[in-house]
Amino acid sequence: MREQILELLRTDPEFREEVRRLILTEDLLALPSKVDQLVEAVRELTAVQRQQAEQIRALAEAQRRTEERVEALAEAQRRTEERLEALVEAQRRTEEGLQELRNQVSALVIAQQRMEEALQWLINWQRGEMGRREGERYEREVIQRAPVIFKGGHGGPPEEPSVQKRLTALLSREQMDRLFNDKEEDPFLADLIWWKGEKVAVVEISLQVDGYDVVRARRRAGTLREAGVEAIAMVVGREWANPGAYDAALHHKVEWLIGAEMSDGFKKFREA
């Protein structure tokens, strides 16, 4: 009997299926189907997990590339900042150099100005010195040629003892006291005192005769006239310093010899 049942199980599918239904429960019979469903679900889950893993790997790769780009950007930013710092430093050094250059140029300009001022002062001094020396030579020449200029007579500069002695004899003590504080009226400071008979010329000598020369001659001659002397104010020079000097000579009745020209009063004194 046992052998027959086993033979039927091996050879008769319907018998085998009927035995399985009798032996196995519905849940056990449905188990293969459920296992297949589970395998399929696992397969699908595995596929999903594989896709998710691939997506994660893609995201990780994207993240890596993003991080690399960020690092590259950060490096570029760092290099840019370093270049900017270098440019700022170069700009600062350039500005310092320009400021130093401006300072040097300013110092050179100031030095140039001072040099020009010193040179101008030297030129003016040299001109003044040359003018003073030329004026002194001209004054000496006029004094030396006084006998020719005035056609005779005698006298000289007030520093000559004979002239000082004669002037001292002419002036009173009161006049001497007044002249102590008034150089403009002091005949002892005239350039030349020249006598012809009773007349005396009080002469101021200058290369360029100006109004100041005219006034001095008038005032110094006036001092001698106060002493009762027939004194004549005169100026002698190569030229008038300005038209006003000539007008002043006419106004103050000061006689003159300018170059080769002379006033009528100067001519009369020569002929005296």
Side-chain angles (χ1 to χ4, degrees), residues 4 10 21 33 47 49 91 102 108 110 120 129 133 139 146 177 205 208 214-215 218 237 268:
Q4 291 177 347
R10 284 193 296 268
R21 279 196 302 269
S33 175
Q49 289 178 341
Q91 178 69 18
R102 285 193 290 268
L108 287 174
I110 293 172
Q120 187 61 47
E129 186 66 15
R133 291 179 181 178
E139 183 177 334
D177 288 337
I205 304 170
Q208 292 185 323
V214 171
V215 172
R218 178 185 65 83
K268 290 178 181 180

PDB file of all heavy atoms in Angstrom, residues 4 10 21 33 47 49 91 102 108 110 120 129 133 139 146 177 205 208 214-215 218 237 268:
ATOM      1  N   GLN A   4       2.467   1.726  -3.290  1.00  0.00           N
ATOM      2  CA  GLN A   4       1.527   2.211  -4.305  1.00  0.00           C
ATOM      3  C   GLN A   4       1.324   3.694  -4.173  1.00  0.00           C
ATOM      4  O   GLN A   4       1.242   4.423  -5.185  1.00  0.00           O
ATOM      5  CB  GLN A   4       0.159   1.478  -4.130  1.00  0.00           C
ATOM      6  CG  GLN A   4       0.238   0.020  -4.486  1.00  0.00           C
ATOM      7  CD  GLN A   4      -1.093  -0.709  -4.252  1.00  0.00           C
ATOM      8  OE1 GLN A   4      -2.040  -0.203  -3.601  1.00  0.00           O
ATOM      9  NE2 GLN A   4      -1.207  -1.982  -4.758  1.00  0.00           N
ATOM     10  N   ARG A  10       4.727   9.792  -7.413  1.00  0.00           N
ATOM     11  CA  ARG A  10       5.794  10.041  -8.370  1.00  0.00           C
ATOM     12  C   ARG A  10       5.243  10.139  -9.763  1.00  0.00           C
ATOM     13  O   ARG A  10       5.745  10.902 -10.582  1.00  0.00           O
ATOM     14  CB  ARG A  10       6.845   8.919  -8.300  1.00  0.00           C
ATOM     15  CG  ARG A  10       7.760   9.037  -7.089  1.00  0.00           C
ATOM     16  CD  ARG A  10       8.959   8.099  -7.247  1.00  0.00           C
ATOM     17  NE  ARG A  10       8.544   6.719  -7.272  1.00  0.00           N
ATOM     18  CZ  ARG A  10       8.466   5.927  -6.232  1.00  0.00           C
ATOM     19  NH1 ARG A  10       8.802   6.352  -5.024  1.00  0.00           N
ATOM     20  NH2 ARG A  10       8.066   4.648  -6.349  1.00  0.00           N
ATOM     21  N   ARG A  21      -3.003  19.287  -1.359  1.00  0.00           N
ATOM     22  CA  ARG A  21      -4.069  20.110  -0.821  1.00  0.00           C
ATOM     23  C   ARG A  21      -4.576  19.550   0.506  1.00  0.00           C
ATOM     24  O   ARG A  21      -4.956  20.297   1.387  1.00  0.00           O
ATOM     25  CB  ARG A  21      -5.227  20.201  -1.822  1.00  0.00           C
ATOM     26  CG  ARG A  21      -4.970  21.232  -2.906  1.00  0.00           C
ATOM     27  CD  ARG A  21      -6.269  21.557  -3.629  1.00  0.00           C
ATOM     28  NE  ARG A  21      -6.873  20.390  -4.225  1.00  0.00           N
ATOM     29  CZ  ARG A  21      -6.646  19.970  -5.453  1.00  0.00           C
ATOM     30  NH1 ARG A  21      -5.800  20.610  -6.226  1.00  0.00           N
ATOM     31  NH2 ARG A  21      -7.273  18.875  -5.903  1.00  0.00           N
ATOM     32  N   SER A  33       3.861  31.478  -3.825  1.00  0.00           N
ATOM     33  CA  SER A  33       3.478  32.694  -4.551  1.00  0.00           C
ATOM     34  C   SER A  33       3.933  33.925  -3.799  1.00  0.00           C
ATOM     35  O   SER A  33       4.452  34.893  -4.378  1.00  0.00           O
ATOM     36  CB  SER A  33       1.961  32.705  -4.737  1.00  0.00           C
ATOM     37  OG  SER A  33       1.555  33.920  -5.335  1.00  0.00           O
ATOM     38  N   ALA A  47      16.603  47.051  -7.014  1.00  0.00           N
ATOM     39  CA  ALA A  47      16.781  47.959  -8.168  1.00  0.00           C
ATOM     40  C   ALA A  47      16.650  49.423  -7.733  1.00  0.00           C
ATOM     41  O   ALA A  47      17.423  50.289  -8.152  1.00  0.00           O
ATOM     42  CB  ALA A  47      15.761  47.620  -9.256  1.00  0.00           C
ATOM     43  N   GLN A  49      17.136  50.533  -4.702  1.00  0.00           N
ATOM     44  CA  GLN A  49      18.319  50.878  -3.908  1.00  0.00           C
ATOM     45  C   GLN A  49      19.525  51.122  -4.796  1.00  0.00           C
ATOM     46  O   GLN A  49      20.329  52.004  -4.529  1.00  0.00           O
ATOM     47  CB  GLN A  49      18.605  49.749  -2.909  1.00  0.00           C
ATOM     48  CG  GLN A  49      17.591  49.660  -1.776  1.00  0.00           C
ATOM     49  CD  GLN A  49      17.890  48.508  -0.844  1.00  0.00           C
ATOM     50  OE1 GLN A  49      18.615  47.558  -1.201  1.00  0.00           O
ATOM     51  NE2 GLN A  49      17.308  48.556   0.366  1.00  0.00           N
ATOM     52  N   GLN A  91      50.313 100.370  -5.337  1.00  0.00           N
ATOM     53  CA  GLN A  91      49.728 101.712  -5.415  1.00  0.00           C
ATOM     54  C   GLN A  91      50.224 102.589  -4.282  1.00  0.00           C
ATOM     55  O   GLN A  91      50.531 103.768  -4.471  1.00  0.00           O
ATOM     56  CB  GLN A  91      48.202 101.600  -5.375  1.00  0.00           C
ATOM     57  CG  GLN A  91      47.473 102.927  -5.400  1.00  0.00           C
ATOM     58  CD  GLN A  91      47.605 103.640  -6.728  1.00  0.00           C
ATOM     59  OE1 GLN A  91      47.950 103.023  -7.718  1.00  0.00           O
ATOM     60  NE2 GLN A  91      47.344 104.940  -6.745  1.00  0.00           N
ATOM     61  N   ARG A 102      57.220 114.594  -5.457  1.00  0.00           N
ATOM     62  CA  ARG A 102      56.664 115.947  -5.319  1.00  0.00           C
ATOM     63  C   ARG A 102      57.447 116.758  -4.293  1.00  0.00           C
ATOM     64  O   ARG A 102      57.720 117.951  -4.503  1.00  0.00           O
ATOM     65  CB  ARG A 102      55.185 115.863  -4.935  1.00  0.00           C
ATOM     66  CG  ARG A 102      54.265 115.478  -6.074  1.00  0.00           C
ATOM     67  CD  ARG A 102      52.815 115.720  -5.711  1.00  0.00           C
ATOM     68  NE  ARG A 102      52.346 114.791  -4.711  1.00  0.00           N
ATOM     69  CZ  ARG A 102      51.761 113.632  -4.983  1.00  0.00           C
ATOM     70  NH1 ARG A 102      51.574 113.267  -6.234  1.00  0.00           N
ATOM     71  NH2 ARG A 102      51.346 112.835  -4.008  1.00  0.00           N
ATOM     72  N   LEU A 108      63.359 121.309  -4.909  1.00  0.00           N
ATOM     73  CA  LEU A 108      64.146 121.842  -6.020  1.00  0.00           C
ATOM     74  C   LEU A 108      63.624 123.203  -6.460  1.00  0.00           C
ATOM     75  O   LEU A 108      64.406 124.108  -6.769  1.00  0.00           O
ATOM     76  CB  LEU A 108      64.115 120.859  -7.200  1.00  0.00           C
ATOM     77  CG  LEU A 108      64.948 119.587  -7.036  1.00  0.00           C
ATOM     78  CD1 LEU A 108      64.710 118.650  -8.213  1.00  0.00           C
ATOM     79  CD2 LEU A 108      66.430 119.921  -6.928  1.00  0.00           C
ATOM     80  N   ILE A 110      61.992 125.343  -4.558  1.00  0.00           N
ATOM     81  CA  ILE A 110      62.370 126.314  -3.530  1.00  0.00           C
ATOM     82  C   ILE A 110      63.845 126.665  -3.649  1.00  0.00           C
ATOM     83  O   ILE A 110      64.232 127.839  -3.568  1.00  0.00           O
ATOM     84  CB  ILE A 110      62.048 125.750  -2.137  1.00  0.00           C
ATOM     85  CG1 ILE A 110      60.533 125.617  -1.960  1.00  0.00           C
ATOM     86  CG2 ILE A 110      62.630 126.633  -1.040  1.00  0.00           C
ATOM     87  CD1 ILE A 110      60.119 124.901  -0.688  1.00  0.00           C
ATOM     88  N   GLN A 120      69.711 137.090  -8.293  1.00  0.00           N
ATOM     89  CA  GLN A 120      69.198 138.425  -8.563  1.00  0.00           C
ATOM     90  C   GLN A 120      69.778 139.439  -7.589  1.00  0.00           C
ATOM     91  O   GLN A 120      70.129 140.565  -7.976  1.00  0.00           O
ATOM     92  CB  GLN A 120      67.667 138.419  -8.460  1.00  0.00           C
ATOM     93  CG  GLN A 120      67.016 139.732  -8.893  1.00  0.00           C
ATOM     94  CD  GLN A 120      67.312 140.064 -10.342  1.00  0.00           C
ATOM     95  OE1 GLN A 120      67.201 139.212 -11.225  1.00  0.00           O
ATOM     96  NE2 GLN A 120      67.708 141.297 -10.608  1.00  0.00           N
ATOM     97  N   GLU A 129      76.966 147.974  -7.046  1.00  0.00           N
ATOM     98  CA  GLU A 129      78.382 148.214  -6.771  1.00  0.00           C
ATOM     99  C   GLU A 129      79.060 148.867  -7.969  1.00  0.00           C
ATOM    100  O   GLU A 129      79.864 149.798  -7.823  1.00  0.00           O
ATOM    101  CB  GLU A 129      79.058 146.877  -6.426  1.00  0.00           C
ATOM    102  CG  GLU A 129      80.493 146.997  -5.973  1.00  0.00           C
ATOM    103  CD  GLU A 129      80.653 147.717  -4.649  1.00  0.00           C
ATOM    104  OE1 GLU A 129      79.651 147.893  -3.928  1.00  0.00           O
ATOM    105  OE2 GLU A 129      81.799 148.095  -4.327  1.00  0.00           O
ATOM    106  N   ARG A 133      80.617 152.470  -7.908  1.00  0.00           N
ATOM    107  CA  ARG A 133      82.007 152.735  -8.292  1.00  0.00           C
ATOM    108  C   ARG A 133      82.071 153.700  -9.474  1.00  0.00           C
ATOM    109  O   ARG A 133      82.918 154.596  -9.503  1.00  0.00           O
ATOM    110  CB  ARG A 133      82.701 151.421  -8.652  1.00  0.00           C
ATOM    111  CG  ARG A 133      82.916 150.513  -7.449  1.00  0.00           C
ATOM    112  CD  ARG A 133      83.590 149.222  -7.851  1.00  0.00           C
ATOM    113  NE  ARG A 133      83.774 148.352  -6.696  1.00  0.00           N
ATOM    114  CZ  ARG A 133      84.317 147.135  -6.776  1.00  0.00           C
ATOM    115  NH1 ARG A 133      84.715 146.658  -7.966  1.00  0.00           N
ATOM    116  NH2 ARG A 133      84.456 146.410  -5.689  1.00  0.00           N
ATOM    117  N   GLU A 139      82.284 161.203  -9.836  1.00  0.00           N
ATOM    118  CA  GLU A 139      82.411 162.306  -8.867  1.00  0.00           C
ATOM    119  C   GLU A 139      83.856 162.777  -8.765  1.00  0.00           C
ATOM    120  O   GLU A 139      84.129 163.991  -8.743  1.00  0.00           O
ATOM    121  CB  GLU A 139      81.909 161.840  -7.506  1.00  0.00           C
ATOM    122  CG  GLU A 139      81.928 162.925  -6.440  1.00  0.00           C
ATOM    123  CD  GLU A 139      81.357 162.445  -5.120  1.00  0.00           C
ATOM    124  OE1 GLU A 139      80.532 161.510  -5.139  1.00  0.00           O
ATOM    125  OE2 GLU A 139      81.759 163.000  -4.075  1.00  0.00           O
ATOM    126  N   ALA A 146      87.044 170.330 -11.899  1.00  0.00           N
ATOM    127  CA  ALA A 146      86.286 171.515 -11.461  1.00  0.00           C
ATOM    128  C   ALA A 146      86.843 172.818 -12.022  1.00  0.00           C
ATOM    129  O   ALA A 146      86.072 173.686 -12.464  1.00  0.00           O
ATOM    130  CB  ALA A 146      86.228 171.554  -9.938  1.00  0.00           C
ATOM    131  N   ASP A 177      74.890 174.113  15.674  1.00  0.00           N
ATOM    132  CA  ASP A 177      74.008 173.334  16.548  1.00  0.00           C
ATOM    133  C   ASP A 177      72.833 172.747  15.771  1.00  0.00           C
ATOM    134  O   ASP A 177      72.435 171.599  15.975  1.00  0.00           O
ATOM    135  CB  ASP A 177      73.492 174.219  17.689  1.00  0.00           C
ATOM    136  CG  ASP A 177      74.576 174.530  18.706  1.00  0.00           C
ATOM    137  OD1 ASP A 177      75.553 173.742  18.769  1.00  0.00           O
ATOM    138  OD2 ASP A 177      74.458 175.531  19.407  1.00  0.00           O
ATOM    139  N   ILE A 205      76.757 165.925  -6.972  1.00  0.00           N
ATOM    140  CA  ILE A 205      77.213 165.243  -8.183  1.00  0.00           C
ATOM    141  C   ILE A 205      76.623 163.837  -8.201  1.00  0.00           C
ATOM    142  O   ILE A 205      76.706 163.092  -7.219  1.00  0.00           O
ATOM    143  CB  ILE A 205      78.749 165.163  -8.225  1.00  0.00           C
ATOM    144  CG1 ILE A 205      79.360 166.572  -8.113  1.00  0.00           C
ATOM    145  CG2 ILE A 205      79.228 164.477  -9.489  1.00  0.00           C
ATOM    146  CD1 ILE A 205      80.862 166.568  -7.897  1.00  0.00           C
ATOM    147  N   GLN A 208      73.113 160.018 -12.405  1.00  0.00           N
ATOM    148  CA  GLN A 208      71.725 160.325 -12.753  1.00  0.00           C
ATOM    149  C   GLN A 208      71.174 161.240 -11.662  1.00  0.00           C
ATOM    150  O   GLN A 208      70.961 160.809 -10.524  1.00  0.00           O
ATOM    151  CB  GLN A 208      70.885 159.051 -12.859  1.00  0.00           C
ATOM    152  CG  GLN A 208      71.257 158.169 -14.036  1.00  0.00           C
ATOM    153  CD  GLN A 208      70.312 156.978 -14.155  1.00  0.00           C
ATOM    154  OE1 GLN A 208      69.884 156.407 -13.147  1.00  0.00           O
ATOM    155  NE2 GLN A 208      69.983 156.616 -15.374  1.00  0.00           N
ATOM    156  N   VAL A 214      68.527 167.417  -6.148  1.00  0.00           N
ATOM    157  CA  VAL A 214      68.136 168.819  -6.315  1.00  0.00           C
ATOM    158  C   VAL A 214      67.786 169.442  -4.956  1.00  0.00           C
ATOM    159  O   VAL A 214      68.249 170.548  -4.615  1.00  0.00           O
ATOM    160  CB  VAL A 214      66.946 168.926  -7.282  1.00  0.00           C
ATOM    161  CG1 VAL A 214      66.382 170.347  -7.288  1.00  0.00           C
ATOM    162  CG2 VAL A 214      67.352 168.498  -8.685  1.00  0.00           C
ATOM    163  N   VAL A 215      66.991 168.756  -4.159  1.00  0.00           N
ATOM    164  CA  VAL A 215      66.562 169.290  -2.867  1.00  0.00           C
ATOM    165  C   VAL A 215      67.754 169.440  -1.925  1.00  0.00           C
ATOM    166  O   VAL A 215      67.875 170.447  -1.207  1.00  0.00           O
ATOM    167  CB  VAL A 215      65.481 168.384  -2.252  1.00  0.00           C
ATOM    168  CG1 VAL A 215      65.168 168.805  -0.819  1.00  0.00           C
ATOM    169  CG2 VAL A 215      64.212 168.421  -3.091  1.00  0.00           C
ATOM    170  N   ARG A 218      69.730 172.516  -2.871  1.00  0.00           N
ATOM    171  CA  ARG A 218      69.016 173.738  -2.486  1.00  0.00           C
ATOM    172  C   ARG A 218      69.136 173.994  -0.986  1.00  0.00           C
ATOM    173  O   ARG A 218      69.424 175.115  -0.541  1.00  0.00           O
ATOM    174  CB  ARG A 218      67.547 173.634  -2.886  1.00  0.00           C
ATOM    175  CG  ARG A 218      66.707 174.850  -2.481  1.00  0.00           C
ATOM    176  CD  ARG A 218      65.246 174.622  -2.786  1.00  0.00           C
ATOM    177  NE  ARG A 218      64.679 173.546  -1.993  1.00  0.00           N
ATOM    178  CZ  ARG A 218      64.235 173.683  -0.743  1.00  0.00           C
ATOM    179  NH1 ARG A 218      64.346 174.856  -0.126  1.00  0.00           N
ATOM    180  NH2 ARG A 218      63.715 172.668  -0.097  1.00  0.00           N
ATOM    181  N   GLY A 237      75.643 166.117 -13.470  1.00  0.00           N
ATOM    182  CA  GLY A 237      75.485 164.700 -13.771  1.00  0.00           C
ATOM    183  C   GLY A 237      75.513 164.432 -15.249  1.00  0.00           C
ATOM    184  O   GLY A 237      75.577 165.351 -16.069  1.00  0.00           O
ATOM    185  N   LYS A 268      76.364 181.617 -16.277  1.00  0.00           N
ATOM    186  CA  LYS A 268      76.762 182.893 -15.658  1.00  0.00           C
ATOM    187  C   LYS A 268      77.843 182.691 -14.605  1.00  0.00           C
ATOM    188  O   LYS A 268      78.763 183.475 -14.482  1.00  0.00           O
ATOM    189  CB  LYS A 268      75.545 183.577 -15.034  1.00  0.00           C
ATOM    190  CG  LYS A 268      74.554 184.098 -16.073  1.00  0.00           C
ATOM    191  CD  LYS A 268      73.349 184.731 -15.372  1.00  0.00           C
ATOM    192  CE  LYS A 268      72.337 185.248 -16.409  1.00  0.00           C
ATOM    193  NZ  LYS A 268      71.151 185.858 -15.755  1.00  0.00           N
TER     194      LYS A 268
END
